[in-house]
Amino acid sequence: MPNVKVFDMAGKEVGEISLSEKIFGAEVNAPVLHSAIRAYLLNQRQGTQSTLTRSEVSGGGKKPWRQKGTGRARQGSTRSPQWIHGGIALGPKPRNYRTDLNKKAKRVALFSALSDKVAEGNLVVIDKCEVGEYKTSVIAKMFEALGFKKENGKAAKTLLVLPEADKFVVRSARNIPTAATTLFSTINTYEIVNADKLVITKEAVEKLTAVYDKEDQD
């Protein structure tokens, strides 16, 4: 089992926790990870883009000039694609981009993303995350205390995983451009991969482990 240190919000080490080998120590499956991210991004697309074809634009009922004798190319309608204000040839039309992965593949992708964060040293466990009021500076100071800086000095993109909804934490973190929050029950592979650093509370780790242990028993 991978062991990681547990910190408090001030960045001080307060203990250690053993993570589930199945969830946080799995072998990274790159193809499945790619499929999960691709599926997530495709499912975010609305697919409402649409262009008008020559049959849908207004006008063009009359032949612009006679077929022969003018010295110009023959034209049947001013709404053909080559004309200004004409229809669009082979343009996009509304479509459904949705794609799905089976339950097993989703689980493998999630475990791969979490395990990669642990292997790279980009997963940090904190004992708890409590603000008690709308205070962005508290969350910002926590990230700073945990040393979340990239090599170029810019703030790292951070995903904070909570055990349950906390409006004070969520709204406080929302004012930080590089920070995002989610719940252990709704966390997805794309969010994990997209973040440079993953901060998860000790309680969220325990609940996440309990959920997948229960699924295996069922």
Side-chain angles (χ1 to χ4, degrees):
M1 289 187 177
N3 295 326
V4 296
K5 298 176 180 178
V6 179
F7 299 89
D8 60 14
M9 294 183 66
K12 181 181 178 181
E13 183 181 341
V14 294
E16 192 175 83
I17 185 173
S18 294
L19 302 178
S20 170
E21 184 73 27
K22 178 183 65 176
I23 301 174
F24 297 95
E27 182 180 351
V28 177
N29 191 321
V32 176
L33 199 57
H34 172 268
S35 297
I37 294 173
R38 179 177 179 275
Y40 176 84
L41 293 175
L42 284 175
N43 292 340
Q44 304 310 300
R45 300 189 66 173
Q46 293 181 327
T48 55
Q49 73 280 27
S50 182
T51 53
L52 299 179
T53 65
R54 60 181 295 171
S55 65
E56 295 172 316
V57 293
S58 62
K62 180 182 178 182
K63 188 175 175 67
W65 51 75
R66 62 183 184 175
Q67 182 81 346
K68 294 178 177 292
T70 65
R72 290 179 290 185
R74 51 197 172 183
Q75 300 291 331
S77 171
T78 57
R79 290 303 177 259
S80 297
Q82 72 268 25
W83 284 76
I84 296 175
H85 304 304
I88 302 298
L90 307 177
K93 280 294 186 181
R95 56 167 290 191
N96 183 11
Y97 288 93
R98 181 155 191 87
T99 182
D100 290 313
L101 289 180
N102 60 57
K103 184 177 179 180
K104 183 177 179 180
K106 289 179 181 179
R107 180 186 295 191
V108 170
L110 179 63
F111 293 173
S112 293
L114 290 170
S115 299
D116 182 65
K117 279 290 185 283
V118 175
E120 296 293 328
N122 291 324
L123 183 141
V124 177
V125 179
I126 56 176
D127 58 347
K128 58 183 178 180
C129 184
E130 297 177 349
V131 179
E133 59 179 329
Y134 300 119
K135 204 72 173 178
T136 300
S137 61
V138 175
I139 303 297
K141 287 179 180 178
M142 179 183 71
F143 291 156
E144 184 178 349
L146 294 173
F148 289 172
K149 292 286 185 181
K150 284 186 176 180
E151 293 180 359
N152 57 10
K154 294 183 179 179
K157 289 192 294 185
T158 305
L159 178 64
L160 177 60
V161 185
L162 303 172
E164 55 188 19
D166 186 327
K167 63 180 181 180
F168 296 116
V169 175
V170 172
R171 292 191 181 184
S172 296
R174 191 166 59 186
N175 291 327
I176 303 175
T178 56
T181 59
T182 189
L183 300 178
F184 83 94
S185 56
T186 59
I187 191 171
N188 65 69
T189 302
Y190 176 79
E191 289 179 319
I192 299 171
V193 174
N194 187 52
D196 298 314
K197 300 289 185 179
L198 181 64
V199 182
I200 182 169
T201 66
K202 185 177 179 181
E203 185 180 353
V205 171
E206 294 170 348
K207 287 187 175 182
L208 190 66
T209 303
V211 166
Y212 288 105
D213 283 345
K214 182 179 179 181
E215 286 186 0
D216 287 343
Q217 293 173 2
D218 295 341

PDB file of all heavy atoms in Angstrom, residues 86-101:
ATOM      1  N   GLY A  86     -24.707  32.863 -50.530  1.00  0.00           N
ATOM      2  CA  GLY A  86     -25.168  31.556 -50.943  1.00  0.00           C
ATOM      3  C   GLY A  86     -25.113  30.565 -49.783  1.00  0.00           C
ATOM      4  O   GLY A  86     -24.659  30.887 -48.681  1.00  0.00           O
ATOM      5  N   GLY A  87     -25.574  29.357 -50.039  1.00  0.00           N
ATOM      6  CA  GLY A  87     -25.549  28.333 -49.005  1.00  0.00           C
ATOM      7  C   GLY A  87     -24.142  27.825 -48.751  1.00  0.00           C
ATOM      8  O   GLY A  87     -23.210  28.098 -49.521  1.00  0.00           O
ATOM      9  N   ILE A  88     -23.976  27.108 -47.661  1.00  0.00           N
ATOM     10  CA  ILE A  88     -22.674  26.538 -47.295  1.00  0.00           C
ATOM     11  C   ILE A  88     -22.615  25.079 -47.732  1.00  0.00           C
ATOM     12  O   ILE A  88     -23.520  24.293 -47.429  1.00  0.00           O
ATOM     13  CB  ILE A  88     -22.440  26.625 -45.775  1.00  0.00           C
ATOM     14  CG1 ILE A  88     -22.520  28.077 -45.309  1.00  0.00           C
ATOM     15  CG2 ILE A  88     -21.091  26.020 -45.401  1.00  0.00           C
ATOM     16  CD1 ILE A  88     -21.474  28.997 -45.909  1.00  0.00           C
ATOM     17  N   ALA A  89     -21.567  24.753 -48.471  1.00  0.00           N
ATOM     18  CA  ALA A  89     -21.391  23.369 -48.905  1.00  0.00           C
ATOM     19  C   ALA A  89     -20.641  22.568 -47.837  1.00  0.00           C
ATOM     20  O   ALA A  89     -19.608  22.998 -47.342  1.00  0.00           O
ATOM     21  CB  ALA A  89     -20.612  23.328 -50.218  1.00  0.00           C
ATOM     22  N   LEU A  90     -21.182  21.427 -47.488  1.00  0.00           N
ATOM     23  CA  LEU A  90     -20.538  20.508 -46.531  1.00  0.00           C
ATOM     24  C   LEU A  90     -20.277  21.156 -45.173  1.00  0.00           C
ATOM     25  O   LEU A  90     -19.293  20.845 -44.497  1.00  0.00           O
ATOM     26  CB  LEU A  90     -19.218  19.980 -47.113  1.00  0.00           C
ATOM     27  CG  LEU A  90     -19.323  19.339 -48.510  1.00  0.00           C
ATOM     28  CD1 LEU A  90     -17.940  18.919 -48.992  1.00  0.00           C
ATOM     29  CD2 LEU A  90     -20.267  18.150 -48.493  1.00  0.00           C
ATOM     30  N   GLY A  91     -21.149  22.080 -44.780  1.00  0.00           N
ATOM     31  CA  GLY A  91     -20.994  22.734 -43.477  1.00  0.00           C
ATOM     32  C   GLY A  91     -21.498  21.847 -42.348  1.00  0.00           C
ATOM     33  O   GLY A  91     -22.139  20.820 -42.575  1.00  0.00           O
ATOM     34  N   PRO A  92     -21.198  22.230 -41.095  1.00  0.00           N
ATOM     35  CA  PRO A  92     -21.635  21.425 -39.948  1.00  0.00           C
ATOM     36  C   PRO A  92     -23.145  21.502 -39.738  1.00  0.00           C
ATOM     37  O   PRO A  92     -23.780  22.521 -40.000  1.00  0.00           O
ATOM     38  CB  PRO A  92     -20.889  22.056 -38.766  1.00  0.00           C
ATOM     39  CG  PRO A  92     -20.646  23.475 -39.192  1.00  0.00           C
ATOM     40  CD  PRO A  92     -20.417  23.418 -40.674  1.00  0.00           C
ATOM     41  N   LYS A  93     -23.679  20.399 -39.258  1.00  0.00           N
ATOM     42  CA  LYS A  93     -25.093  20.313 -38.935  1.00  0.00           C
ATOM     43  C   LYS A  93     -25.232  19.735 -37.528  1.00  0.00           C
ATOM     44  O   LYS A  93     -24.303  19.090 -37.021  1.00  0.00           O
ATOM     45  CB  LYS A  93     -25.816  19.392 -39.939  1.00  0.00           C
ATOM     46  CG  LYS A  93     -26.135  20.071 -41.270  1.00  0.00           C
ATOM     47  CD  LYS A  93     -27.148  21.178 -41.071  1.00  0.00           C
ATOM     48  CE  LYS A  93     -27.591  21.784 -42.390  1.00  0.00           C
ATOM     49  NZ  LYS A  93     -28.564  22.869 -42.176  1.00  0.00           N
ATOM     50  N   PRO A  94     -26.350  19.989 -36.856  1.00  0.00           N
ATOM     51  CA  PRO A  94     -26.511  19.443 -35.500  1.00  0.00           C
ATOM     52  C   PRO A  94     -26.293  17.931 -35.461  1.00  0.00           C
ATOM     53  O   PRO A  94     -26.757  17.198 -36.344  1.00  0.00           O
ATOM     54  CB  PRO A  94     -27.971  19.791 -35.159  1.00  0.00           C
ATOM     55  CG  PRO A  94     -28.248  21.006 -35.972  1.00  0.00           C
ATOM     56  CD  PRO A  94     -27.504  20.807 -37.252  1.00  0.00           C
ATOM     57  N   ARG A  95     -25.545  17.493 -34.454  1.00  0.00           N
ATOM     58  CA  ARG A  95     -25.288  16.056 -34.305  1.00  0.00           C
ATOM     59  C   ARG A  95     -25.032  15.741 -32.846  1.00  0.00           C
ATOM     60  O   ARG A  95     -24.753  16.642 -32.038  1.00  0.00           O
ATOM     61  CB  ARG A  95     -24.072  15.625 -35.131  1.00  0.00           C
ATOM     62  CG  ARG A  95     -22.812  16.385 -34.811  1.00  0.00           C
ATOM     63  CD  ARG A  95     -21.575  15.735 -35.396  1.00  0.00           C
ATOM     64  NE  ARG A  95     -21.255  14.486 -34.715  1.00  0.00           N
ATOM     65  CZ  ARG A  95     -20.115  13.827 -34.894  1.00  0.00           C
ATOM     66  NH1 ARG A  95     -19.218  14.284 -35.747  1.00  0.00           N
ATOM     67  NH2 ARG A  95     -19.871  12.724 -34.235  1.00  0.00           N
ATOM     68  N   ASN A  96     -25.153  14.505 -32.506  1.00  0.00           N
ATOM     69  CA  ASN A  96     -24.946  14.040 -31.141  1.00  0.00           C
ATOM     70  C   ASN A  96     -23.538  13.454 -31.026  1.00  0.00           C
ATOM     71  O   ASN A  96     -23.219  12.461 -31.673  1.00  0.00           O
ATOM     72  CB  ASN A  96     -25.996  12.985 -30.780  1.00  0.00           C
ATOM     73  CG  ASN A  96     -25.869  12.515 -29.338  1.00  0.00           C
ATOM     74  OD1 ASN A  96     -25.142  13.118 -28.551  1.00  0.00           O
ATOM     75  ND2 ASN A  96     -26.564  11.456 -28.994  1.00  0.00           N
ATOM     76  N   TYR A  97     -22.707  14.088 -30.186  1.00  0.00           N
ATOM     77  CA  TYR A  97     -21.330  13.633 -30.017  1.00  0.00           C
ATOM     78  C   TYR A  97     -21.190  12.613 -28.887  1.00  0.00           C
ATOM     79  O   TYR A  97     -20.092  12.146 -28.629  1.00  0.00           O
ATOM     80  CB  TYR A  97     -20.418  14.820 -29.701  1.00  0.00           C
ATOM     81  CG  TYR A  97     -20.166  15.727 -30.876  1.00  0.00           C
ATOM     82  CD1 TYR A  97     -20.959  16.846 -31.106  1.00  0.00           C
ATOM     83  CD2 TYR A  97     -19.135  15.471 -31.767  1.00  0.00           C
ATOM     84  CE1 TYR A  97     -20.732  17.682 -32.178  1.00  0.00           C
ATOM     85  CE2 TYR A  97     -18.899  16.302 -32.852  1.00  0.00           C
ATOM     86  CZ  TYR A  97     -19.700  17.400 -33.055  1.00  0.00           C
ATOM     87  OH  TYR A  97     -19.464  18.217 -34.127  1.00  0.00           O
ATOM     88  N   ARG A  98     -22.264  12.309 -28.220  1.00  0.00           N
ATOM     89  CA  ARG A  98     -22.179  11.508 -27.006  1.00  0.00           C
ATOM     90  C   ARG A  98     -21.569  10.139 -27.247  1.00  0.00           C
ATOM     91  O   ARG A  98     -21.875   9.457 -28.211  1.00  0.00           O
ATOM     92  CB  ARG A  98     -23.559  11.349 -26.355  1.00  0.00           C
ATOM     93  CG  ARG A  98     -23.492  10.537 -25.068  1.00  0.00           C
ATOM     94  CD  ARG A  98     -24.605  10.847 -24.116  1.00  0.00           C
ATOM     95  NE  ARG A  98     -24.328  10.229 -22.820  1.00  0.00           N
ATOM     96  CZ  ARG A  98     -23.623  10.793 -21.867  1.00  0.00           C
ATOM     97  NH1 ARG A  98     -23.135  12.007 -22.052  1.00  0.00           N
ATOM     98  NH2 ARG A  98     -23.401  10.184 -20.728  1.00  0.00           N
ATOM     99  N   THR A  99     -20.691   9.751 -26.330  1.00  0.00           N
ATOM    100  CA  THR A  99     -20.104   8.418 -26.340  1.00  0.00           C
ATOM    101  C   THR A  99     -19.988   7.940 -24.904  1.00  0.00           C
ATOM    102  O   THR A  99     -19.871   8.746 -23.987  1.00  0.00           O
ATOM    103  CB  THR A  99     -18.715   8.423 -27.016  1.00  0.00           C
ATOM    104  OG1 THR A  99     -18.199   7.100 -27.054  1.00  0.00           O
ATOM    105  CG2 THR A  99     -17.746   9.313 -26.266  1.00  0.00           C
ATOM    106  N   ASP A 100     -20.047   6.646 -24.702  1.00  0.00           N
ATOM    107  CA  ASP A 100     -20.044   6.092 -23.350  1.00  0.00           C
ATOM    108  C   ASP A 100     -18.952   5.041 -23.185  1.00  0.00           C
ATOM    109  O   ASP A 100     -18.561   4.372 -24.147  1.00  0.00           O
ATOM    110  CB  ASP A 100     -21.399   5.456 -23.022  1.00  0.00           C
ATOM    111  CG  ASP A 100     -22.499   6.489 -22.868  1.00  0.00           C
ATOM    112  OD1 ASP A 100     -22.256   7.494 -22.163  1.00  0.00           O
ATOM    113  OD2 ASP A 100     -23.580   6.307 -23.451  1.00  0.00           O
ATOM    114  N   LEU A 101     -18.466   4.942 -21.966  1.00  0.00           N
ATOM    115  CA  LEU A 101     -17.548   3.870 -21.589  1.00  0.00           C
ATOM    116  C   LEU A 101     -18.273   2.936 -20.639  1.00  0.00           C
ATOM    117  O   LEU A 101     -19.161   3.361 -19.906  1.00  0.00           O
ATOM    118  CB  LEU A 101     -16.315   4.433 -20.887  1.00  0.00           C
ATOM    119  CG  LEU A 101     -15.301   5.218 -21.716  1.00  0.00           C
ATOM    120  CD1 LEU A 101     -14.172   5.684 -20.810  1.00  0.00           C
ATOM    121  CD2 LEU A 101     -14.745   4.381 -22.844  1.00  0.00           C
TER     122      LEU A 101
END
